Amino acid sequence: MAIATVNPATGERVREFDALTDEQLDGKLQLAAEAFRAYRKTSFGDRAALLRRAADILDAEADELGRLATLEMGKTHAAAVAEVRKSAKGCRWYADHGEEMLADEPWPVEGAKVFTRYEPLGPVLAVMPWNFPYWQVFRFAAPALLAGNVGLLKHASNVPQCALAIEDVLRRAGFPEGVFQTLLVPSSAIEAVIGDERVRAVTLTGSEPAGREVGAAAGRNVKASVLELGGADAFIVMPSADLDKAVEAGVGSRTLNNGQSCVNAKRFIVHEDVAEEFTRKFTDKMASLTVGDPMKDDTDLGPLSSADAVETIHRQVSDTVRAGARLLTGGKPLDGPGFYYPPTVLADIPDGSPGHHEEFFGPVALIWRVRDADDAIRVANDSPFGLGGSAWTADPGEQERFVTEVETGMMYLNEFTQSTPEVPFGGAKNSGYGRELASFGPRTFVNAKTVWIA
């Protein structure tokens, strides 16, 4: 894939970038290693002050930065501005709380002073996706920089201007040269960067195939890694649920970021007693959404990120319908320029179809009808993914069963999955390993050194 800005709303190629030469890449890796030797000695207070200045810049320039995200990957401008402000919130949260999470941790040993000290590892490579071009980066960068690491960003090739803007924000905030650098390189360069002895760890948010490659490369080089991969989150609705609230939340979750989020609700698992009413209200709400120019205030859904994204989601929908699913609304790419796909609802998903086991990265909802809680849990767990999930029920017994028995890294009751700095984030099964955010953020890429003083 070329490193280029292509406006998803029009299909226009706006700007292209040359990839770094091998010599330029080596220079950036050397600069990162040299910057780390000095930066690791800075105080938590100094690092926190830098993060707060970065947050101030993000807030002051949220509109401009948001326009850049909309231009490059198509989310609505309102959503893009909110994402920039969320990134600012993440910087401030770690500035306020990060030091206490990395304080020496004492252990009760008679006759000695024993504690764990959390020390930074060094340059960390972050391989990041296009769907949240700011927040995905800052949810890694804020805690990693607070811990004393330095960052190397290999962003998705379709958001190069967002990637460069992030480096610019951190530079203007006062972070020393080399502490955070964007690497404009193709995906084919990632394995060599992971293998470079100057790089000490890697984190990836992206697809399952990409995660397998990055995880394997990290393993071969005995380097720490965190993988946040795909998801096909279950959204369970039981008879005691507030159906109107569940419908509103379900549509909001499924269409968040134009339906392009790992933690979108994707598989709607509905008890047969309320299935007909929920499906009717849900389908009507999806069909009523406005699809169009992501810069307009009245637009609910902008374009998908690329022509390939439209082709992939349409193939999945068509193959699932051919296998026997019922198409309730949508299901056909929209005419005209740009990469638009309508809100789509499929019901009665057949086993073995794409809707059964694949991740749908677009505004397509898949609905199952189930008999009881046992059946709901069976369907929820019948997926290779286990990132997030939610269950809508007022029954305490059902709530406890869903929390305990649904195989997922995050489970929300009467709320849909969120990513916020206060709460750990990560998945199970093929959705990856490791955790981000909360105290896991700053403690992920550190050496937990045991110290024993007799």
Side-chain angles (χ1 to χ4, degrees):
M1 178 185 294
I3 302 174
T5 300
V6 178
N7 186 349
T10 64
E12 175 193 4
R13 184 174 291 260
V14 177
R15 188 176 176 187
E16 293 190 8
F17 294 82
D18 292 330
L20 296 175
T21 65
D22 290 345
E23 183 179 2
Q24 289 171 328
L25 176 58
D26 183 74
K28 287 183 175 291
L29 297 181
Q30 185 59 30
L31 179 59
E34 293 170 358
F36 173 64
R37 286 195 284 271
Y39 183 68
R40 68 176 302 172
K41 298 176 183 178
T42 59
S43 69
F44 284 115
D46 287 344
R47 298 172 202 163
L50 294 172
L51 285 175
R52 291 191 181 97
R53 284 202 286 272
D56 291 343
I57 294 171
L58 289 168
D59 276 336
E61 301 176 9
D63 185 78
E64 179 183 348
L65 291 168
R67 287 176 182 273
L68 194 56
T70 299
L71 172 69
E72 291 203 302
M73 56 72 58
K75 69 173 64 195
T76 64
H77 182 239
V81 170
E83 181 185 336
V84 176
R85 296 196 184 284
K86 183 176 182 177
S87 300
K89 173 187 174 182
C91 289
R92 290 195 181 94
W93 194 84
Y94 280 107
D96 292 342
H97 301 287
E99 181 175 359
E100 65 193 62
M101 297 172 182
L102 293 169
D104 290 349
E105 187 171 2
W107 302 105
V109 176
E110 187 175 350
K113 179 181 180 181
V114 182
F115 58 90
T116 296
R117 174 158 293 172
Y118 297 102
E119 298 179 339
L121 293 180
V124 180
L125 173 65
V127 183
M128 293 288 110
W130 48 262
N131 57 337
F132 292 94
Y134 296 115
W135 171 239
Q136 297 280 15
V137 176
F138 276 100
R139 81 181 191 187
F140 147 74
L145 296 176
L146 192 283
N149 294 297
V150 304
L152 294 163
L153 171 62
K154 192 290 177 206
H155 218 324
S157 294
N158 60 330
V159 289
Q161 294 189 71
C162 288
L164 292 169
I166 292 168
E167 179 180 345
D168 180 63
V169 166
L170 293 172
R171 178 186 55 78
R172 287 189 285 130
F175 282 93
E177 184 182 11
V179 168
F180 189 93
Q181 299 177 82
T182 286
L183 307 180
L184 292 183
V185 294
S187 297
S188 57
I190 292 174
E191 184 173 358
V193 175
I194 294 172
D196 192 289
E197 63 180 8
R198 292 165 291 192
V199 174
R200 301 311 312 149
V202 59
T203 180
L204 174 139
T205 298
S207 68
E208 181 186 347
R212 291 181 183 277
E213 292 183 11
V214 166
R220 283 193 299 272
N221 290 281
V222 198
K223 294 182 181 179
S225 61
V226 170
L227 303 180
E228 194 271 278
L229 309 180
D233 287 9
F235 188 101
I236 300 169
V237 182
M238 300 300 285
S240 62
D242 180 332
L243 281 191
D244 289 336
K245 185 177 179 181
V247 166
E248 190 74 20
V251 171
S253 179
R254 178 63 286 222
T255 59
L256 177 71
N257 205 43
N258 302 341
Q260 300 167 119
S261 170
C262 296
V263 289
N264 285 129
K266 297 185 175 104
R267 297 180 300 133
F268 293 82
I269 301 166
V270 188
H271 192 284
E272 60 187 6
D273 289 354
V274 292
E276 183 175 344
E277 182 181 1
F278 176 88
T279 300
R280 174 177 51 80
K281 290 182 174 181
F282 183 88
T283 302
D284 289 346
K285 181 71 173 175
M286 288 282 280
S288 71
L289 297 176
T290 300
V291 181
D293 184 348
M295 287 302 301
K296 292 185 176 179
D297 293 339
D298 61 350
T299 295
D300 297 310
L301 280 177
L304 299 191
S305 63
S306 66
D308 286 346
V310 173
E311 181 180 342
T312 297
I313 196 92
H314 186 54
R315 174 189 55 76
Q316 291 175 306
V317 167
S318 300
D319 289 351
T320 302
V321 171
R322 275 194 292 269
R326 289 188 297 126
L327 175 63
L328 303 183
T329 190
K332 183 180 179 182
L334 300 182
D335 294 331
F339 312 133
Y340 291 93
Y341 202 81
T344 298
V345 181
L346 303 179
D348 304 332
I349 310 303
D351 290 352
S353 68
H356 182 208
H357 271 171
E358 294 181 14
E359 179 181 23
F360 278 47
F361 221 61
V364 178
L366 309 163
I367 298 180
W368 279 258
R369 180 187 294 238
V370 295
R371 298 182 303 276
D372 51 27
D374 287 335
D375 203 21
I377 292 167
R378 177 190 64 79
V379 174
N381 289 338
D382 186 17
S383 170
F385 299 105
L387 187 54
S390 62
W392 297 74
T393 172
D395 185 305
E398 289 176 349
Q399 291 178 353
E400 180 61 27
R401 288 200 63 193
F402 294 139
V403 167
T404 303
E405 298 180 40
V406 176
E407 299 164 350
T408 185
M410 301 171 283
M411 194 67 193
Y412 283 60
L413 298 175
N414 301 315
E415 182 61 271
F416 62 83
T417 313
Q418 300 178 33
S419 172
T420 183
E422 304 92 336
V423 180
F425 186 95
K429 299 163 69 173
N430 288 11
S431 290
Y433 55 74
R435 291 292 180 270
E436 297 178 289
L437 301 176
S439 62
F440 290 92
R443 286 191 175 189
T444 294
F445 297 117
V446 292
N447 172 28
K449 179 185 286 185
T450 297
V451 179
W452 182 300
I453 303 174

